[in-house]
Amino acid sequence: MQGFEYHVDLVFCIDSTASMIPVLDEVKTNALRFHGDVLSALNAKGKHVDKMRIKVVAFRDLYDDMATAFEQSEFFSLPEEASRFETFVRKLQPIGGGDEPESGLEALALALNSEWTRGGAKRRHVVVLWTDASAHALEKASGVTGAPPGIPATFDDLTDFWQGQSADLSARRLILFAPEAQPWTTISEVWEGVVWVQSRAGSGLDELSHEEIVSTIVNSVGG
Amino acid sequence: MLRWLRGLRRRGAATSAPQSSFLTSVLLDLPKVGAGEDGPALAIQLNNAPIVAVAVFDGLGGSGAQRLATPIGVLTSAAWAAKLAHKITASTISESNEYSHSRSDQATYFSHVLRDKLQEELAHGFVAFGANLEPVSTTVLKGSLSRRLPTTLCLMLVALEHSDARVSAIWAGDSRAYIWRPGTGLAQISRDHTKQPLDAFDAILEDAPMSNFVSADRPFHLELHEIRVEGPFLFFSCTDGVYNYFSSPMEFECQLIAALHQGIDAGDISASIQRCIAGVTNDDASLGLCGVGWTDWAGVRVDLDSRLIVLKGILGSSGALPFADMQDSERPAKAHASLGSSEEDPLVRREIWRAYRGYYESLQPQQKGPSQPRRDDGDPRQ
């Protein structure tokens, strides 16, 4: 085969507020199978993934309880650390939140601030975000102490961050499992490299939908 | 428009176009396991003009993964787009009657009119056959990466004119148009529509997002670029599954020469190229190739030998045997091995590219601004 090595990083941002109780187990299941499906599909296309890593950013509501607003893991190398990844995901508990919006944009910022791989002939940085709510404006956090460092002050700054000033233009992808609400509507329209998955029936993903999403990632990862 | 749906093939096949001064066309369609997203390649010789057209279509799997209930069954949006583009292009060419033998600029006039007609037919047809198709899953994919019926298109028209030929490339996306000439070798005629300007060497690694391609939900444009070429030469359109899985454009030409040399007729050549490509990728691959100026494919093989000698001089390889001394089964491997040791080192590979790229890039349109027809009658590196 071609011989180019792919280094793929996945960051999962998972809304872990109480409203996610009905679907969090399904989200966890999807998160746990996602990387394996992507890897298998890439191998089937003859694209050799030399290194795959995965990281989790669980988020809730910064203005509800700052102490539990974010839970971040390190990057887990796969397959060697698959069990540690699974342990982290399964330990996530749906708590807090209570009402919209949640801190999805801050979580997205934390994901984009990850120590992304710079190795491999071809690199892919994929963020997958699951939420059932809109998100607080980043501007709201101005002057709030205790928030995680490195979060852009405005949505425009975050957009600049995504669009290339601090990221590899061709390497990144964002998959949104989010409702039709702001800021997700704007992100899907304005940001490059975004797939926004919307349920038609108001229920979870069926197998066909999962295949479509994996196919989207694989075909865009594979060039 | 329903006539376009009749006879849609699920797989391409090697076919031949009727020939006058053109060689028998070579068509290659390699759908990946499961479901291909390249439309079948096509080759058409016009009945009323000395023109051969070859074209390829590559559905964008990343943007068009949504599965739709189409008139011919469940397909991804990308696969349906490529098939639609094939049918519309074939229909538009076959029904064209703008070639006028009385015009002094007949080939140029024809290519411009055809490009404009094709643009209009594609825009209309994609909306008509894509706007109301229902997804078959429980989700709808939206966002900047998700598009309605996204596909590339790359069409080459070669019109014989007196002592030379008028070559026109009409394209949207990163499927490419090439010519190959004895002595000077491979040249890319089109320029990829990507958001980052990249040369063919860097494009292999960078995988830049496309800036323009055919779709049902966004405006697109078909770029047209024309050159004049003296024969003999080969011309072909191909999707990225053909060219993008070799380590460099030089290796692509080398492997292509080796594959062409193995065949004695269009069917042989198609099979040989298929083996060559299957050795480096599992992705979809489509190619439409023809030649002009030789009496048969045997004549092409002689010039392939000559080009390999020139390549060896450019690339500084050693130890390679001329094709004539090789067993047929050895040729592709030996052709690559002749470059193998120097090709392994990326820095050396880049240096070789610097020496090679002069003619390869010399026939492309300018990066910005209107393209100008130019005469190709020598080696621009000299």
Side-chain angles (χ1 to χ4, degrees):
Chain A
M1 291 291 150
Q2 184 186 40
F4 291 136
E5 291 181 350
Y6 285 82
H7 287 197
V8 179
D9 279 349
L10 301 171
V11 178
F12 291 166
C13 298
I14 303 176
D15 183 337
S16 299
T17 57
S19 65
M20 292 285 284
I21 288 174
V23 296
L24 190 57
D25 281 344
E26 183 182 347
V27 169
K28 288 179 182 179
T29 300
N30 280 321
L32 288 170
R33 65 179 286 200
F34 203 86
H35 69 278
D37 292 341
V38 169
L39 197 62
S40 296
L42 283 170
N43 284 334
K45 287 189 70 168
K47 300 188 190 305
H48 176 61
V49 178
D50 187 59
K51 289 184 180 176
M52 177 175 274
R53 303 186 307 166
I54 196 161
K55 171 181 170 178
V56 180
V57 177
F59 65 94
R60 299 181 179 87
D61 189 342
L62 182 62
Y63 304 99
D64 177 40
D65 182 356
M66 189 176 293
T68 61
F70 305 102
E71 293 179 66
Q72 276 195 84
S73 76
E74 60 197 271
F75 268 112
F76 301 111
S77 294
L78 301 175
E80 303 87 355
E81 298 181 296
S83 60
R84 292 182 62 209
F85 164 61
E86 183 170 350
T87 299
F88 188 95
V89 171
R90 294 207 182 280
K91 277 169 52 181
L92 294 176
Q93 294 299 315
I95 56 174
D99 57 357
E100 290 197 41
E102 314 295 359
S103 293
L105 278 183
E106 286 85 354
L108 194 49
L110 290 174
L112 297 183
N113 268 326
S114 300
E115 292 290 326
W116 298 103
T117 179
R118 294 293 172 203
K122 298 198 178 193
R123 294 176 292 278
R124 293 296 181 267
H125 307 154
V126 182
V127 177
V128 186
L129 186 145
W130 283 271
T131 186
D132 65 347
S134 57
H136 289 294
L138 289 175
E139 290 82 349
K140 184 177 176 181
S142 174
V144 172
T145 57
I151 294 178
T154 67
F155 182 76
D156 285 346
D157 289 342
L158 184 64
T159 298
D160 287 342
F161 194 1
W162 173 260
Q163 298 287 58
Q165 292 189 3
S166 301
D168 191 336
L169 179 67
S170 61
R172 65 184 183 275
R173 305 288 185 269
L174 171 61
I175 315 300
L176 287 175
F177 294 85
E180 193 155 359
Q182 291 295 355
W184 317 121
T185 306
T186 299
I187 286 175
S188 75
E189 291 173 355
V190 173
W191 289 18
E192 295 287 345
V194 176
V195 176
W196 187 20
V197 184
Q198 292 190 303
S199 171
R200 297 169 70 215
S203 59
L205 295 178
D206 61 6
E207 188 59 29
L208 193 55
S209 300
H210 180 79
E211 285 180 21
E212 288 175 338
I213 293 158
V214 170
S215 180
T216 298
I217 301 295
V218 166
N219 279 287
S220 59
V221 166
Chain B
M1 293 183 186
L2 280 175
R3 65 187 184 278
W4 295 337
L5 303 180
R6 298 191 194 112
L8 269 175
R9 293 173 296 167
R10 291 186 181 273
R11 285 177 174 268
T15 62
S16 304
Q19 298 304 311
S20 54
S21 302
F22 293 95
L23 294 173
T24 303
S25 300
V26 174
L27 292 180
L28 173 70
D29 290 294
L30 272 181
K32 63 189 175 198
V33 174
E37 282 158 348
D38 283 6
L42 70 82
I44 297 175
Q45 179 159 15
L46 274 66
N47 290 326
N48 61 344
I51 298 177
V52 162
V54 293
V56 294
F57 316 89
D58 186 0
L60 276 64
S63 297
Q66 185 99 68
R67 294 188 190 181
L68 305 174
T70 78
I72 60 170
V74 175
L75 293 173
T76 65
S77 177
W80 178 234
K83 289 177 176 10
L84 259 187
H86 168 99
K87 294 304 291 184
I88 294 172
T89 301
S91 175
T92 303
I93 294 172
S94 299
E95 294 175 1
S96 63
N97 56 6
E98 285 79 11
Y99 191 87
S100 169
H101 292 270
S102 62
R103 293 183 66 110
S104 60
D105 62 344
Q106 53 207 11
T108 295
Y109 176 77
F110 178 76
S111 62
H112 279 77
V113 171
L114 183 68
R115 186 274 304 268
D116 292 345
K117 275 188 72 174
L118 186 56
Q119 173 97 38
E120 187 180 329
E121 293 289 332
L122 286 167
H124 185 225
F126 268 51
V127 170
F129 285 93
N132 298 318
L133 295 180
E134 288 292 318
V136 297
S137 64
T138 60
T139 56
V140 175
L141 303 182
K142 295 184 176 179
S144 57
L145 197 57
S146 183
R147 298 283 288 273
R148 194 78 166 165
L149 304 191
T151 182
T152 72
L153 178 154
C154 185
L155 164 66
M156 292 188 78
L157 302 169
V158 176
L160 299 183
E161 285 185 332
H162 308 297
S163 62
D164 55 19
R166 192 81 168 182
V167 178
S168 303
I170 298 171
W171 77 98
D174 67 353
S175 294
R176 290 181 180 171
Y178 291 94
I179 67 165
W180 183 91
R181 298 180 68 223
T184 50
L186 190 67
Q188 185 178 338
I189 305 298
S190 58
R191 188 180 292 279
D192 298 347
H193 291 147
T194 54
K195 293 186 176 177
Q196 293 169 264
L198 296 168
D199 64 34
F201 186 85
D202 288 332
I204 292 171
L205 286 181
E206 294 299 326
D207 292 333
M210 264 182 273
S211 58
N212 172 52
F213 47 88
V214 182
S215 74
D217 57 358
R218 301 274 177 93
F220 63 90
H221 73 274
L222 298 181
E223 185 168 353
L224 168 64
H225 179 53
E226 294 182 294
I227 58 173
R228 285 201 296 272
V229 183
E230 283 188 355
F233 64 93
L234 302 173
F235 58 96
F236 62 98
S237 298
C238 65
T239 62
D240 67 344
V242 173
Y243 68 77
N244 207 37
Y245 293 89
F246 297 94
S247 300
S248 65
M250 303 81 75
E251 184 190 10
F252 172 49
E253 180 183 357
C254 186
Q255 295 288 343
L256 185 67
I257 287 174
L260 290 170
H261 201 280
Q262 282 214 318
I264 59 173
D265 57 30
D268 257 7
I269 291 169
S270 178
S272 178
I273 296 175
Q274 180 172 335
R275 286 192 299 272
C276 169
I277 293 170
V280 293
T281 181
N282 286 341
D283 204 353
D284 294 338
S286 288
L287 171 142
L289 178 148
C290 193
V292 61
W294 292 280
T295 53
D296 52 33
W297 281 106
V300 181
R301 297 177 88 191
V302 173
D303 286 322
L304 293 174
D305 284 340
S306 301
R307 173 57 181 166
L308 183 63
I309 293 171
V310 172
L311 266 177
K312 285 166 58 180
I314 294 168
L315 302 173
S317 56
S318 60
L321 298 173
F323 281 129
D325 295 333
M326 292 185 193
Q327 296 298 316
D328 283 345
S329 59
E330 292 179 313
R331 285 195 177 109
K334 288 293 177 68
H336 181 51
S338 72
L339 305 172
S341 56
S342 59
E343 285 272 87
E344 291 300 319
D345 185 338
L347 291 178
V348 172
R349 195 180 299 141
R350 186 171 288 278
E351 284 303 308
I352 295 173
W353 163 245
R354 288 198 183 101
Y356 172 91
R357 67 190 296 178
Y359 182 71
Y360 179 92
E361 296 180 321
S362 65
L363 302 179
Q364 289 182 296
Q366 296 294 321
Q367 190 74 37
K368 292 181 180 179
S371 61
Q372 299 294 326
R374 51 181 294 174
R375 189 169 185 84
D376 172 38
D377 56 2
D379 185 349
R381 291 173 301 180
Q382 298 174 3

